[in-house]
Amino acid sequence: MGYLLFVTLIQAFSFSLIGVYLAGHVDSYFAVLIRVVLAGLVFIPLTRWRQVEPRFMRGMLLIGALQFGITYVCLYLSFRVLTVPEVLLFTILTPLHVTLIEDALNRRFNPWALLAALVAVLGAGVIRYDGIDGNFLGGFLLLQVANFTYAAGQVLYKHLVARYPSDLPHYRRFGYFYLGALIIALPAFLIFGNAQHLPDAPQQWLVLLFLGLCSTALGMYWWNKGACLVSGATLAVFNVLHVPVGLLINLMIWNQQEPLSRLFIGGALILVSLWISRLTRSIRATA
């Protein structure tokens, strides 16, 4: 779980950076594209183009298109109509997507995994619900698409690696992920992007550099690698852990006021959901 915990910290920090420095200032499609390009520059030179199963390559292209390309285009667009708290609120449904997709691929129904996801969603909702603006429907729908594609990508990666094992390290076969993301991000920017809203301040370029190299390159790689090492229920819970972590970061760095009692109660519920997910693994092991 170490990989997932570390990436959770990066994700929580990234949400604030996007909301403060990029949303409403930098073209959404360009922000997604530059993140993909920077991450690709890290991983593509390390990628093996031979000794890799063609079906694995195609699967990785699909996963990259889903988990990053479509997800982050929708996420950045949602910041145009939603506040950062609303974005965090609507992303709490991701665990349910993870659980349902995992069960569908395994052709089974795991009520304990679903319960863990529901408790995690409840905990995040307790923390984050501050009321929502009346004109939120478009943003809500965008984030549900993002939730689904992000969940589908990580679950599919877990199954793809299991189906096509290799002696090669994960990073030798991960460059295809960013090529898949580029298939979505580049046309999206060329067709819908606005060249009049490119970064015009050093802080914006520094944020994009951090998001590209840390959040997208290392973050997506470590998250997917970590997803292969935990159960589906645990993975679902970690998909909502960025909410309490993000609020703690806001308290420590931006000194924003947050309801500490709700943070404590919601965090406790998320810890309970993590315990349930661990219990699920124990039950399956003894069955």
Side-chain angles (χ1 to χ4, degrees):
M1 292 192 294
Y3 290 110
L4 299 179
L5 283 171
F6 188 79
V7 178
T8 295
L9 292 172
I10 296 176
Q11 286 178 337
F13 190 58
S14 299
F15 268 97
S16 294
L17 291 177
I18 294 170
V20 173
Y21 294 103
L22 301 183
H25 305 289
V26 177
D27 179 72
S28 302
Y29 300 102
F30 177 79
V32 175
L33 177 62
I34 199 67
R35 289 180 64 172
V36 173
V37 170
L38 288 170
L41 290 175
V42 173
F43 275 92
I44 290 177
L46 303 174
T47 300
R48 283 285 184 90
W49 303 99
R50 299 178 180 179
Q51 301 177 334
V52 177
E53 171 67 41
R55 292 183 181 179
F56 181 87
M57 294 182 187
R58 292 194 292 269
M60 286 297 292
L61 292 174
L62 174 63
I63 291 167
L66 289 172
Q67 191 179 351
F68 191 86
I70 296 175
T71 295
Y72 278 85
V73 166
C74 292
L75 175 66
Y76 275 77
L77 289 176
S78 72
F79 276 103
R80 294 182 178 182
V81 293
L82 299 176
T83 64
V84 173
E86 288 170 347
V87 170
L88 284 169
L89 173 62
F90 294 150
T91 58
I92 67 175
L93 297 178
T94 306
L96 295 180
H97 291 278
V98 171
T99 300
L100 295 173
I101 294 171
E102 175 78 13
D103 284 349
L105 289 177
N106 289 325
R107 297 182 179 179
R108 59 169 169 76
F109 174 68
N110 185 342
W112 289 101
L114 182 60
L115 177 62
L118 287 171
V119 173
V121 168
L122 176 62
V126 168
I127 295 170
R128 189 59 276 168
Y129 183 75
D130 293 317
I132 51 181
D133 185 84
N135 299 316
F136 72 94
L137 181 60
F140 175 80
L141 294 176
L142 280 171
L143 282 175
Q144 294 322 298
V145 174
N147 289 342
F148 177 80
T149 54
Y150 187 70
Q154 55 193 298
V155 174
L156 287 173
Y157 181 79
K158 181 179 179 180
H159 284 257
L160 189 69
V161 169
R163 184 173 182 180
Y164 297 103
S166 173
D167 293 332
L168 293 172
H170 281 255
Y171 68 85
R172 289 290 192 181
R173 301 194 296 170
F174 204 75
Y176 308 106
F177 176 94
Y178 298 107
L179 291 177
L182 190 63
I183 291 172
I184 299 295
L186 181 57
F189 172 68
L190 294 177
I191 297 171
F192 302 110
N194 187 345
Q196 302 300 317
H197 291 87
L198 299 185
D200 58 4
Q203 296 94 330
Q204 293 169 346
W205 283 109
L206 286 173
V207 168
L208 286 173
L209 189 65
F210 171 82
L211 293 174
L213 297 180
C214 295
S215 302
T216 310
L218 295 179
M220 298 303 292
Y221 169 64
W222 281 339
W223 184 268
N224 282 291
K225 185 175 180 179
C228 297
L229 304 175
V230 299
S231 68
T234 301
L235 180 61
V237 172
F238 268 96
N239 269 272
V240 80
L241 197 60
H242 65 277
V243 175
V245 175
L247 296 183
L248 286 173
I249 288 175
N250 277 337
L251 283 171
M252 293 185 294
I253 298 179
W254 281 279
N255 197 30
Q256 294 185 6
Q257 297 298 318
E258 297 290 349
L260 294 180
S261 60
R262 285 164 52 184
L263 179 61
F264 175 79
I265 295 170
L269 284 170
I270 292 175
L271 289 176
V272 169
S273 71
L274 187 58
W275 174 78
I276 294 173
S277 73
R278 302 283 289 183
L279 181 64
T280 301
R281 177 181 290 185
S282 300
I283 293 173
R284 289 178 61 189
T286 57

